[in-house]
Amino acid sequence: MNGSATSEPAPPPAPGAEQHPALDLANSAPALPGGQHLDLLGTPEAANRWLTGHGLAPEDAGLRETCTARLRTLREHVRALLAARVDGLAAPATALDAVNDALTRAPAASLLHWDADRGLYREAGHPTEQIVEHALAALAADAADLLTGTEADRLTACGSSPCNRYLLRHGRRHWCSTRCGDRARAARAYARRTGRTES
């Protein structure tokens, strides 16, 4: 579902998402109250805006649906790895393969070029068709760092239904936003008043 499917604004970045673009990628299709969903990568234009906002593509990159679909696919694989880490399960092999494939797609070195006016020079190539390769590689590298670094033990899923976002826990906080925290507290208060237990 694309971003026009709901009038509800996108929630603010979850704790940790501003430092880890891979976490923000995983959270780019939030479930909203009332059964609504928002997909910040739902169209090539929306995906281009998301990549530009993270410094991973120029504003005029001109993404096509094929590239956008690859970005959404990486998102699902990163989500699968985050879910496995949070739940203490084995990492899914297909998700590992997808992230490793993205890691190896973009050259890390500046290549040697020749120009009659400039002579020999080195420059990283970023033609339009490689923009997504570089973005996928950067996001995959960030996901790998997040999942294996010192912050991995702070990864958690938002504790407020129906939210499906991940965050880096600070203290006892298990909510991705004030809105989710308020919703969780209201649900607990309602459960206490009515004698129901939380599911």
Side-chain angles (χ1 to χ4, degrees), residues 189-197:
Y190 176 77
R192 280 194 301 271
R193 280 194 314 273
T194 61
R196 297 181 185 179
T197 58

Side-chain angles (χ1 to χ4, degrees), residues 3-4 39-61 63 71:
S4 63
D39 191 344
L40 302 176
L41 309 176
T43 65
E45 297 78 21
N48 202 142
R49 279 192 302 276
W50 190 91
L51 288 172
T52 299
H54 289 80
L56 295 170
E59 289 183 18
D60 61 351
L63 291 188
L71 191 58

Side-chain angles (χ1 to χ4, degrees), residues 120-151:
L120 282 171
Y121 66 97
R122 289 186 72 185
E123 185 175 81
H126 290 277
T128 303
E129 64 270 11
Q130 289 185 354
I131 288 171
V132 170
E133 299 288 355
H134 285 272
L136 293 172
L139 290 164
D142 185 62
D145 289 344
L146 176 60
L147 288 161
T148 61
T150 58
E151 295 176 307

Side-chain angles (χ1 to χ4, degrees), residues 15-86:
E18 291 181 331
Q19 297 79 29
H20 291 283
L23 187 57
D24 208 36
L25 174 70
N27 292 336
S28 63
L32 303 172
Q36 294 185 322
H37 287 83
L38 182 67
D39 191 344
L40 302 176
L41 309 176
T43 65
E45 297 78 21
N48 202 142
R49 279 192 302 276
W50 190 91
L51 288 172
T52 299
H54 289 80
L56 295 170
E59 289 183 18
D60 61 351
L63 291 188
R64 298 199 170 149
E65 178 54 32
T66 304
C67 294
T68 305
R70 291 178 63 204
L71 191 58
R72 289 191 300 261
T73 298
L74 180 64
R75 173 179 66 196
E76 295 314 308
H77 289 302
V78 169
R79 284 186 62 79
L81 290 172
L82 292 175
R85 179 66 171 86
V86 166

